[in-house]
Amino acid sequence: MNAALLLIVGIIVLVIGYVTYGKWLADQWGVDESKVTPAHELEDGNDYVPAKAPVLMGHHFSSIAGAGPINGPIQAAVFGWVPVMLWVLIGGIFFGAVHDFGALFASVRNKGQSIGEVIATSIGTRAKKLFIIFSYLTLILVVAAFASIVANTFKATYDEAGALDMVASAANARTAMISILFIVIAIIFGVMVYRRNASLIVSTVIGVVAIVACMAIGYNWHPIYLNGSTWMIIVGIYIAIASVTPVWILLQPRDYLSSFLLYGMMIIAVVGIVGAHPSLEIPAFTGFVDTAEYGVGSSLGSLFPALFVTIACGAISGFHSLVGSGTTAKQLDKESDARPIAYGGMLIECALALISLCAVGYIWKEYVPGGITTPTAVFATGISRMCATIPFLAGAENVIYSMLILAVSAFCLTSLDTATRLARYMFQEFWLEPGQTYKDATGFKKVLTNPYVATAITVVLGVALGMTGYAKIWALFGAANQLLAALGLLAVAAWLGKMGKNNKMFLFPMAFMLVVTIVSLIQTIITNVTNAVDMWNWIRAGLGTLLVILAVVLAVEGVKTITGQAKKA
């Protein structure tokens, strides 16, 4: 298969999906530009702050992207390029983008509150409590994992004698310095745009130039060499501050500027793929079962459900509904911005997933025997090598490789503080009644819903888990994330039904994702029980069982609600 043809056809299909199906959804749901959004109605200068569409797109896309649409397609490529491409396109247009758009729209119509609150108003308070507990624990796991990833990306390396290895530590020190300088630039950008009313276009140009300057400075001057534990503590302090800081100071500008790194990364990748237009070595289809014969790690098992759990962010991801209904909904300037930001943002992520598929296909002969297996390295290697075959980019392979690695690493930090803020929202909403805010709480609930208290609890739990062994239960995250997606689809379907609007486009995706996650979790339970060697096998089996029970309980309550609505109609 020609890489350029695969990518071009895929992008054309995604554009058609956005123009046709995306517009049809907006018409069916009654998206209304004249309605006042929560960002204006509840504007508080902290969480509820209207954002210009390009700025909010930057925040939303930076938060949902990360390494997900890179890792998933590369790992799932063991089934061949056809299954991956089909799921990315079909899943993206009819599952993921519908899920993201629906979650954002439902939240906007519910005062910018989370999917948990949408569940409370459409299904019931008990369902809300169960959903929030599950979402909060999932977000704690995300905080733990991403904090650990960031700390490991920044940390210094020491030799066997305990002496600092300057050569081995240089790359990490560069990344750390560039990230710190980037935060400073973002704060300056936020102050200029939101408090000095500087032109967004002019500020953007200056900001992009400043990003390039930060990369040049950090690459050549990086004096900070700290161990992993120290960086974990620093990262914990940073996300605690970022979670309660007004969004216009850091969240909006940092994510907006970060998005240009990702856009730049994707442009470079498209240039490389189209310019090189190589024939991919990856087979069209390798079979319904991954036997791990390729030597790229443990077997994924059977195509169903592995394909649909492994490719998460590139087709559908539950984390997106938490972002859309958590931070994005509180910053949406007008309802008409929801389609390009949520539906369009998901489809851009699908395009990134296709780029990742081209990257692994290009170096398939090295990936298969296990020569290069880390997804980020596979992505950077494949794209940089394709770029190097283009005459005007010859000799730039190492530079492009480093830039791609840096761009992917930057999004771990972006997703990290967004996840922390989302977890804080979830913790607060757990203690509140429908329609309440933390300002309405009394007694002990007033203490627990205080933003600073909720943030402190979240950060301590996340950082502690990150330092003590999140990896032991990370294997459950894929299924847990897709279960979140199924529950998000369920919640929006129930809410649309209550509002008397068409929700039929949610029913099949919801049922399919529930079956996928339950089957995947049951397989995980059986594997851990039959191959138990330590307590972590039993812990994973226990957590998997709890997730299955949660899925069944919420599904039953949700289906009762939806069928009851259908009978009344």
Side-chain angles (χ1 to χ4, degrees):
M1 178 62 179
N2 184 278
L5 180 61
L6 183 153
L7 181 61
I8 291 170
V9 169
I11 290 176
I12 290 173
V13 171
L14 293 173
V15 171
I16 293 173
Y18 175 80
V19 173
T20 58
Y21 197 58
K23 184 180 183 304
W24 180 76
L25 292 174
D27 293 339
Q28 289 291 304
W29 301 341
V31 174
D32 186 353
E33 185 171 336
S34 66
K35 281 187 174 293
V36 178
T37 62
H40 290 283
E41 180 186 356
L42 304 173
E43 185 172 0
D44 60 5
N46 189 51
D47 294 322
Y48 290 84
V49 178
K52 297 177 177 65
V55 176
L56 187 54
M57 178 61 149
H59 156 68
H60 184 80
F61 190 44
S62 296
S63 297
I64 67 172
I70 293 174
N71 292 2
I74 289 174
Q75 292 171 334
V78 293
F79 294 115
W81 67 264
V82 170
V84 174
M85 185 177 185
L86 288 177
W87 175 233
V88 167
L89 295 179
I90 296 172
I93 293 171
F94 298 104
F95 287 62
V98 175
H99 165 269
D100 293 12
F101 188 12
L104 175 57
F105 180 65
S107 177
V108 168
R109 289 292 178 91
N110 282 272
K111 299 186 181 297
Q113 294 182 300
S114 76
I115 287 296
E117 199 64 30
V118 174
I119 287 176
T121 60
S122 54
I123 300 177
T125 302
R126 185 177 71 167
K128 167 198 169 181
K129 298 287 188 184
L130 290 173
F131 178 82
I132 287 181
I133 290 172
F134 170 57
S135 300
Y136 184 74
L137 294 177
T138 301
L139 286 169
I140 290 295
L141 185 57
V142 172
V143 171
F146 279 56
S148 180
I149 290 170
V150 169
N152 286 329
T153 302
F154 292 174
K155 73 177 183 179
T157 301
Y158 297 85
D159 60 25
E160 295 180 358
L164 177 64
D165 187 335
M166 294 291 289
V167 176
S169 303
N172 285 6
R174 290 189 186 106
T175 303
M177 194 64 200
I178 292 170
S179 299
I180 292 170
L181 292 173
F182 194 88
I183 291 170
V184 174
I185 293 299
I187 293 172
I188 295 172
F189 181 93
V191 172
M192 294 305 297
V193 172
Y194 289 98
R195 287 300 179 266
R196 297 290 184 269
N197 296 316
S199 165
L200 178 62
I201 295 175
V202 174
S203 298
T204 298
V205 172
I206 295 174
V208 171
V209 172
I211 291 173
V212 176
C214 286
M215 294 175 69
I217 294 171
Y219 193 87
N220 294 285
W221 181 66
H222 38 84
I224 303 174
Y225 291 83
L226 303 172
N227 62 36
S229 297
T230 303
W231 273 119
M232 279 292 285
I233 294 171
I234 293 173
V235 168
I237 294 171
Y238 165 75
I239 60 177
I241 295 172
S243 177
V244 295
T245 298
V247 292
W248 63 266
I249 292 178
L250 182 60
L251 189 75
Q252 286 182 358
R254 198 256 352 265
D255 290 357
Y256 174 61
L257 292 175
S258 292
S259 67
F260 285 96
L261 282 175
L262 186 51
Y263 299 148
M265 178 180 77
M266 293 182 67
I267 290 171
I268 290 172
V270 170
V271 169
I273 293 169
V274 174
H277 56 273
S279 294
L280 301 180
E281 299 293 337
I282 185 172
F285 181 59
T286 62
F288 287 100
V289 178
D290 167 31
T291 59
E293 64 184 75
Y294 299 121
V296 295
S298 59
S299 171
L300 293 179
S302 58
L303 186 144
F304 182 90
L307 177 74
F308 310 100
V309 173
T310 304
I311 303 178
C313 294
I316 181 172
S317 168
F319 180 66
H320 295 189
S321 67
L322 301 185
V323 174
S325 69
T327 54
T328 306
K330 294 176 176 65
Q331 302 170 64
L332 195 73
D333 184 42
K334 51 184 183 290
E335 284 192 358
S336 57
D337 290 342
R339 179 163 71 108
I341 289 170
Y343 197 93
M346 179 66 237
L347 297 190
I348 295 174
E349 203 167 4
C350 292
L352 180 55
L354 294 177
I355 289 171
S356 302
L357 178 60
C358 292
V360 68
Y362 186 65
I363 63 166
W364 185 249
K365 290 184 177 179
E366 290 179 71
Y367 180 70
V368 166
I372 304 174
T373 58
T374 304
T376 305
V378 171
F379 178 83
T381 301
I383 298 302
S384 61
R385 286 186 185 176
M386 280 189 271
C387 288
T389 65
I390 303 172
F392 65 88
L393 291 177
E397 181 177 339
N398 291 336
V399 174
I400 293 174
Y401 180 92
S402 298
M403 288 177 61
L404 293 174
I405 292 291
L406 175 63
V408 175
S409 298
F411 287 98
C412 289
L413 189 59
T414 299
S415 298
L416 173 59
D417 55 23
T418 297
T420 307
R421 188 178 285 260
L422 292 173
R424 189 253 289 181
Y425 291 156
M426 287 287 180
F427 187 86
Q428 290 174 294
E429 287 185 13
F430 178 81
W431 305 102
L432 301 173
E433 299 302 320
Q436 277 190 328
T437 68
Y438 74 91
K439 295 177 182 178
D440 304 317
T442 58
F444 76 94
K445 292 183 179 180
K446 187 175 185 65
V447 176
L448 291 174
T449 57
N450 179 282
Y452 299 101
V453 174
T455 297
I457 293 171
T458 298
V459 171
V460 169
L461 289 174
V463 172
L465 181 60
M467 297 178 77
T468 56
Y470 78 90
K472 299 292 186 180
I473 54 176
W474 183 251
L476 287 170
F477 177 75
N481 183 55
Q482 298 305 70
L483 176 55
L484 264 179
L487 298 179
L489 291 164
L490 173 66
V492 180
W495 176 77
L496 284 171
K498 181 183 177 182
M499 296 295 105
K501 298 182 182 297
N502 184 5
N503 64 359
K504 292 183 176 60
M505 69 288 293
F506 284 89
L507 302 184
F508 178 76
M510 173 191 74
F512 183 80
M513 295 311 299
L514 276 172
V515 172
V516 163
T517 52
I518 289 175
V519 171
S520 177
L521 286 168
I522 289 174
Q523 288 179 344
T524 299
I525 295 166
I526 293 172
T527 299
N528 278 278
V529 169
T530 55
N531 300 302
V533 294
D534 57 29
M535 69 171 186
W536 287 107
N537 289 110
W538 295 105
I539 290 173
R540 286 192 289 270
L543 289 174
T545 302
L546 288 175
L547 290 177
V548 171
I549 294 171
L550 171 70
V552 172
V553 171
L554 286 176
V556 169
E557 293 201 16
V559 169
K560 283 182 179 178
T561 300
I562 293 171
T563 53
Q565 293 166 347
K567 289 178 181 178
K568 290 179 182 179

